[in-house]
Amino acid sequence: MSEKTYYIDPITGDDSHNGLTPAHPFKTYASREFTGGDTILFKRGSVIRDILYGRNGSEGAPITYGAYGTGAKPLFLGSVSVSEPKSWIEERPSLWRYTGVLPSEACNLVFNNGASCGNLRWKIEDLQHPGEWHYTGMRNGQAEKNPTPGILYLYSPTNPGNAYQSIECVLWGMRKLIYGQHDIIFEDLSFRNSGVHGYQESLAKNIHIRRCDFCFIGGAVWDRRLRIRFGNAVEFWDGASDITVEGCLFNNIYDSGVTHQGGETRNIPKRLYFRNNLFIDCGMSAYESREPAQEVYFEYNTCINAGGGFSMQGEAPPRQSEIYPQPMGHHVFIWRIEPNTQPGHVYIRYNIFFEAPYGGAIYSVIDPVDERKFVLDNNVYWQTTGSLLNYMGGHSYLPAEFARYQAECQQDPHSQVAEPQFRDAKQGDYRLVTSSPLTGIGMQIDVAI
């Protein structure tokens, strides 16, 4: 087994090099035949407008994709720049048409390096305010594989290329930003602006994702008629086993940060570990427990402002994409588990759940018998409005009813509801003062909501 380390510099690298030292990096990597035990490192500060083409390792000898050098994490972008002023034509006052050719369907617009996002409008005539956009080639339904190429429109009082420092058009693309099914480590990388998913695979096995960033993921149109959009950051489909996602940042995710979901054969996910991650502004949930699973651990995570971010821009809750009349935006969403089918335990422990203004920390819509296989404990909850826990044991509980929830549901015996301190209530600035569920050390989190 070779177990070599290869260096990739997509800007100044040279494919005539041997790629074995930082001084002699390759320029490309996707077509190379890496084997189990190899490590592929991308130069920090690199921006790669493509997906990461991961190759599968072998059991006990994973292939590692990571970073070398100093500076920002290597960035994989699922978007194209539409920032050039000459690429925009004003068709009527404040209505601008992009004249370039988009390689696939537009799913979102991200302005000024992530400072804000555009607001999707379903009809051109609805474009009335700066930042609102429309794409004429939106999908009519999820089964439409070859949608009609469309035209991108943006409302702006002046030429968009001058109004914004940068405009990234997030694309449907290849549906995800990372390939790789088994025996792979992804570490110290950044994945941004994917119209559908960040990482998504069927029957994934022995996958380790650590210290990676997932930002502005999702927003693709699932069904134009029903006005449904979707997209998860890390999704395991049709079963998965021996998975770890740890130390990662999830920021502005249209639906869920991490999730395991069904498929054709309904394989049961086993031994999934979601630990020490930071979730901010996940539209549906930080963790979506969808369909039966066993030995799943959602632990030591910090979850902030569920239901926030671009998924709610321009909409009043419940957003158009909701499947229930109640708004989404929960830190943990448990559903699609038929009665008496949950095979094993799911542990939700040692987490900080900080504010879910449209929903609650936990939202369960499964049978209470199966719900007992979800073990909740040593969590810290912080909620200023609405229910704290929705439909746990068939009931919803306000923060003031936490003790009653503990008694009736026999959950969270060592958890606490933290008391907020207001820094500036008029500005919506809050401070959470509590002790870390991981170390027990006093800590505080300052958040503007």
Side-chain angles (χ1 to χ4, degrees):
M1 189 177 296
S2 63
E3 295 190 0
K4 294 180 179 178
T5 297
Y6 297 93
Y7 298 85
I8 312 297
D9 183 344
I11 305 301
T12 63
D14 190 328
D15 286 337
S16 67
H17 292 163
N18 63 19
L20 296 175
T21 67
H24 298 90
F26 285 139
K27 186 179 182 67
T28 64
Y29 75 99
S31 62
R32 301 185 185 279
E33 296 293 336
F34 302 117
T35 60
D38 286 346
T39 298
I40 298 89
L41 302 179
F42 299 90
K43 187 175 181 179
R44 286 181 175 269
S46 299
V47 176
I48 303 167
R49 290 187 180 273
D50 202 351
I51 68 174
L52 196 166
Y53 297 91
R55 290 189 176 271
N56 296 325
S58 54
E59 188 171 357
I63 293 178
T64 299
Y65 293 87
Y68 77 95
T70 59
K73 297 174 182 178
L75 174 60
F76 291 82
L77 278 176
S79 58
V80 295
S81 174
V82 293
S83 304
E84 182 58 50
K86 66 182 180 181
S87 297
W88 293 94
I89 291 179
E90 192 173 26
E91 289 203 343
R92 61 174 171 80
S94 300
L95 181 67
W96 296 82
R97 172 171 58 88
Y98 180 66
T99 61
V101 178
L102 297 177
S104 69
E105 181 178 337
C107 301
N108 192 14
L109 292 181
V110 177
F111 302 124
N112 299 340
N113 297 314
S116 63
C117 282
N119 290 342
L120 169 64
R121 291 292 174 256
W122 298 93
K123 296 183 292 185
I124 294 178
E125 52 266 35
D126 291 338
L127 299 178
Q128 303 289 334
H129 302 96
E132 295 179 342
W133 64 275
H134 174 79
Y135 181 69
T136 62
M138 291 186 291
R139 297 180 178 225
N140 288 308
Q142 56 150 326
E144 186 180 1
K145 296 183 179 179
N146 297 300
T148 303
I151 300 171
L152 176 65
Y153 289 93
L154 176 61
Y155 190 97
S156 177
T158 61
N159 187 306
N162 296 322
Y164 300 97
Q165 294 177 350
S166 67
I167 310 173
E168 290 287 325
C169 182
V170 181
L171 301 173
W172 183 288
M174 300 183 72
R175 196 179 172 94
K176 55 189 174 184
L177 278 177
I178 312 174
Y179 267 94
Q181 186 180 36
H182 65 83
D183 299 288
I184 311 174
I185 298 171
F186 302 102
E187 61 185 14
D188 301 311
L189 302 170
S190 183
F191 303 95
R192 191 181 185 98
N193 299 351
S194 173
V196 186
H197 302 307
Y199 175 90
Q200 193 269 350
E201 284 287 355
S202 298
L203 297 171
K205 183 178 180 181
N206 296 327
I207 295 293
H208 199 146
I209 303 173
R210 60 194 181 204
R211 301 187 303 277
C212 290
D213 300 339
F214 295 88
C215 302
F216 298 104
I217 306 295
V221 174
W222 176 271
D223 192 305
R224 181 172 63 188
R225 181 180 62 85
L226 297 176
R227 299 188 174 185
I228 295 175
R229 302 168 74 186
F230 75 117
N232 302 312
V234 173
E235 176 183 296
F236 300 102
W237 185 259
D238 199 16
S241 60
D242 301 297
I243 305 294
T244 300
V245 180
E246 63 181 347
C248 295
L249 167 66
F250 297 87
N251 186 11
N252 271 276
I253 311 301
Y254 188 82
D255 277 336
S256 297
V258 295
T259 179
H260 47 80
Q261 303 192 3
E264 297 301 323
T265 58
R266 305 293 180 183
N267 292 289
I268 301 298
K270 301 177 182 178
R271 298 179 299 279
L272 311 186
Y273 303 87
F274 306 118
R275 289 175 169 165
N276 295 300
N277 302 292
L278 174 60
F279 298 89
I280 304 173
D281 290 340
C282 293
M284 179 178 282
S285 59
Y287 168 45
E288 179 186 355
S289 183
R290 174 176 159 176
E291 303 181 66
Q294 64 183 32
E295 290 187 74
V296 178
Y297 299 82
F298 188 80
E299 302 178 318
Y300 305 110
N301 301 288
T302 298
C303 307
I304 297 174
N305 203 35
F310 77 94
S311 73
M312 277 299 299
Q313 282 191 187
E315 296 196 56
R319 61 182 189 174
Q320 289 288 151
S321 294
E322 306 306 5
I323 55 174
Y324 288 105
Q326 297 89 357
M328 289 292 105
H330 315 286
H331 296 303
V332 176
F333 181 31
I334 306 167
W335 68 305
R336 294 194 71 167
I337 299 173
E338 296 298 324
N340 300 311
T341 63
Q342 175 62 22
H345 287 91
V346 175
Y347 299 91
I348 301 172
R349 308 180 299 194
Y350 305 102
N351 302 290
I352 294 175
F353 296 122
F354 185 95
E355 192 65 288
Y358 306 109
I362 313 291
Y363 183 14
S364 170
V365 289
I366 68 172
D367 187 276
V369 173
D370 294 286
E371 195 176 83
R372 294 188 190 105
K373 293 185 178 179
F374 285 75
V375 179
L376 283 70
D377 200 11
N378 288 291
N379 299 300
V380 175
Y381 296 92
W382 190 96
Q383 181 89 354
T384 56
T385 61
S387 297
L388 179 69
L389 301 123
N390 289 302
Y391 302 109
M392 292 294 293
H395 303 281
S396 295
Y397 298 90
L398 298 172
E401 299 172 314
F402 190 71
R404 183 164 70 88
Y405 149 74
Q406 290 174 305
E408 292 178 352
C409 295
Q410 295 295 296
Q411 293 279 19
D412 279 306
H414 304 99
S415 300
Q416 61 172 304
V417 174
E419 293 293 331
Q421 295 180 0
F422 294 85
R423 292 189 296 157
D424 188 339
K426 292 182 180 180
Q427 297 298 319
D429 289 351
Y430 305 104
R431 173 170 292 163
L432 169 65
V433 181
T434 183
S435 59
S436 167
L438 176 60
T439 64
I441 298 173
M443 62 178 297
Q444 68 183 39
I445 300 174
D446 293 337
V447 177
I449 298 176

